Amino acid sequence: MSAIAEPTSPHVMNTYGRLPIALSHGQGCRVWDTNGRVYLDGLGGIAVNTLGHNHPELVPALQDQIAKLIHSSNYYHVPGQEQLAAKLTELSGLTNAFFCSTGLEANEAALKLARKFGHDKGIERPEIVVYEAAFHGRSIATLSATGNPKVQKGFGPLVEGFIRVPLNDIEAIKKATEGNPNVVAVFFETIQGEGGIHPMRIEYLKQVRALCDERDWLLMIDEVQCGMGRTGKWFAHQWAGIKPDVMPLAKGLGSGVPIGAVVAGPKAANIFGPGNHGTTFGGNPLAMRAGVETIRIMEEHKLLENAANVGAHLKAALEREFEGLAGLKEVRGQGLMLGIELDRPCGVILNRACEAGLLLSVTADSVIRLVPPLILSVAEADEIVAILAPLVKTFLAEPKP
Ligand SMILES: *Cc1c(COP(=O)(O)O)cnc(C)c1O
């Protein structure tokens, strides 16, 4: 974020640069602010509101669940956990799931799995390969895995045991781990979200999978942002025809209800035993119902196809608008996870788009990010382009700051 931010609230901690609006309600891909202004939602609560707002099938299901049971605790069996785990393993080809409430918690569980995987085979000081520009969350361990000095600044000492490498360079990972017997896992996002919509190449994904098999490392793929249908497959790594050993999920999994999951294949599914890991809220009946219904509705309404088709339409339209435009570096991404990189910091686009009735975000300073609900229609995609293209052109015609 940057540019215009509201004055600090007297009581809420000042951790976010906020736009000067508050949303009151939504319908589909539209949201209204407390002054009655309507916006087209190109952000979906940061890739969270998979089904948009006030979905006619999700809302009654959640209301039904709230009236029955919101929370029970992991002292007891939770049938919804069985149901959602069965669905997630079916969709991913993996075998077991653990449930939590956020993305960083899912990643934290993955990091613990990797360390115990190492300890179980006698590695006392396990090390995990992570990537430049990665984002994995803001707990002490996940911010240590994150490849952004801004996120880390002021919070040292960082957690040790990470080896950082550049994206899409198989020689670099081989070199960085050469002769190191302590490596236990490789951990990355298939498409980096916060880092600026940087995809791992298909060929590279296959190469890393092969390297992990060869060296007995866990392949851990953070699909918190790029997963759950956003790219047109359930999980973005599936475009490469590979399977990870560990896959953290969150954001879009509950269509707005807080939920996280770490899904594991045979190599990682039995690393944790009773007492190794847990969380109070994780896997509660309300969150499980949100996950189960989100997936059911996505299947029923063919939202993977929609994400692929409308995303391809949106990307092509943006590319057409911006072709040859000075200062426009690239339109990147897949499905409904798109980034438009400019040659300069462009935080102000966020404010101008908001004023023009479009919600989006700017990440990595110079990348405009679109991660709308997966119900977005072609007409709504065209509307995004109609609002955004003139803003970008005007911005790039101004003198560089
Ligand atoms: C958002 C995000 C996280 C962190 O999720 P939280 O729910 O904010 O803790 C982790 N990894 C990726 C790839 C993300 O996009």
Side-chain angles (χ1 to χ4, degrees):
M1 298 283 240
S2 61
I4 312 166
E6 274 281 76
T8 310
S9 151
H11 301 299
V12 176
M13 277 198 199
N14 185 24
T15 53
Y16 305 102
R18 297 180 198 267
L19 290 165
I21 61 166
L23 301 180
S24 81
H25 63 286
Q27 183 65 54
C29 290
R30 314 249 162 208
V31 284
W32 283 260
D33 72 15
T34 47
N35 294 320
R37 275 205 70 199
V38 63
Y39 304 83
L40 182 57
D41 189 0
L43 184 63
I46 320 183
V48 167
N49 297 307
T50 305
L51 303 178
H53 305 275
N54 194 25
H55 193 282
E57 291 171 58
L58 180 67
V59 170
L62 294 180
Q63 284 168 333
D64 171 69
Q65 188 59 50
I66 286 170
K68 282 185 176 143
L69 196 61
I70 296 172
H71 176 82
S72 58
S73 122
N74 287 305
Y75 276 176
Y76 317 108
H77 288 277
V78 179
Q81 291 184 13
E82 271 311 312
Q83 242 183 310
L84 185 54
K87 198 69 210 178
L88 288 174
T89 54
E90 174 200 321
L91 300 177
S92 63
L94 303 179
T95 60
N96 294 74
F98 169 87
F99 294 106
C100 50
S101 309
T102 66
L104 81 79
E105 270 187 282
N107 286 335
E108 195 77 36
L111 296 173
K112 283 180 72 176
L113 278 172
R115 283 196 167 186
K116 190 158 183 299
F117 173 75
H119 281 272
D120 287 350
K121 55 178 181 171
I123 297 173
E124 291 298 320
R125 304 190 67 78
E127 295 180 44
I128 299 168
V129 175
V130 293
Y131 286 72
E132 290 170 3
F135 182 83
H136 298 297
R138 290 173 178 275
S139 67
I140 297 290
T142 57
L143 76 80
S144 302
T146 288
N148 180 348
K150 274 197 219 160
V151 171
Q152 297 169 335
K153 192 168 181 285
F155 299 106
L158 299 181
V159 171
E160 57 183 312
F162 294 110
I163 300 168
R164 198 165 304 281
V165 299
L167 280 71
N168 290 317
D169 184 344
I170 196 69
E171 291 312 317
I173 184 173
K174 285 182 180 163
K175 190 145 175 271
T177 58
E178 199 176 329
N180 183 344
N182 294 328
V183 178
V184 291
V186 178
F187 185 36
F188 58 74
E189 305 149 79
T190 316
I191 303 177
Q192 291 185 335
E194 304 305 301
I197 316 294
H198 295 292
M200 294 290 183
R201 283 198 302 269
I202 299 247
E203 192 50 35
Y204 183 73
L205 291 168
K206 291 180 179 164
Q207 288 169 330
V208 175
R209 175 69 272 179
L211 191 66
C212 287
D213 290 340
E214 187 189 307
R215 310 252 170 118
D216 193 32
W217 299 340
L218 294 179
L219 177 56
M220 311 204 298
I221 305 190
D222 179 348
E223 292 260 351
V224 167
Q225 188 163 157
C226 58
M228 290 314 297
R230 184 149 293 281
T231 66
K233 290 212 188 268
W234 283 106
F235 309 108
H237 65 263
Q238 291 175 328
W239 289 103
I242 61 158
K243 275 189 214 170
D245 299 301
V246 177
M247 175 175 68
L249 299 173
K251 290 205 165 87
L253 177 55
S255 274
V257 175
I259 180 171
V262 59
V263 192
K267 216 165 153 180
N270 299 306
I271 292 173
F272 285 159
N276 283 148
H277 198 54
T279 165
T280 302
F281 288 120
N284 70 72
L286 177 62
M288 296 302 97
R289 186 74 181 266
V292 167
E293 295 292 340
T294 295
I295 294 173
R296 187 189 63 72
I297 294 166
M298 288 176 73
E299 285 180 326
E300 188 183 310
H301 294 272
K302 301 200 173 356
L303 294 186
L304 263 54
E305 289 89 329
N306 193 67
N309 295 340
V310 178
H313 175 90
L314 178 56
K315 191 178 183 190
L318 290 167
E319 282 168 342
R320 259 197 316 278
E321 279 291 337
F322 296 141
E323 201 191 332
L325 183 63
L328 197 303
K329 287 176 78 173
E330 195 183 14
V331 179
R332 282 194 296 270
Q334 192 162 5
L336 289 172
M337 182 172 186
L338 298 176
I340 304 156
E341 183 171 9
L342 309 189
D343 69 350
R344 65 200 75 173
C346 61
V348 71
I349 295 270
L350 180 78
N351 304 71
R352 294 184 188 177
C354 181
E355 282 159 21
L358 172 65
L359 303 185
L360 46 71
S361 82
V362 171
T363 190
D365 292 333
S366 58
V367 181
I368 301 163
R369 172 175 51 176
L370 293 167
V371 281
L374 305 190
I375 57 167
L376 193 81
S377 68
V378 166
E380 287 162 337
D382 289 340
E383 206 180 322
I384 289 179
V385 178
I387 299 172
L388 185 56
L391 288 179
V392 171
K393 288 174 190 171
T394 303
F395 174 75
L396 288 175
E398 294 165 6
K400 270 199 191 188

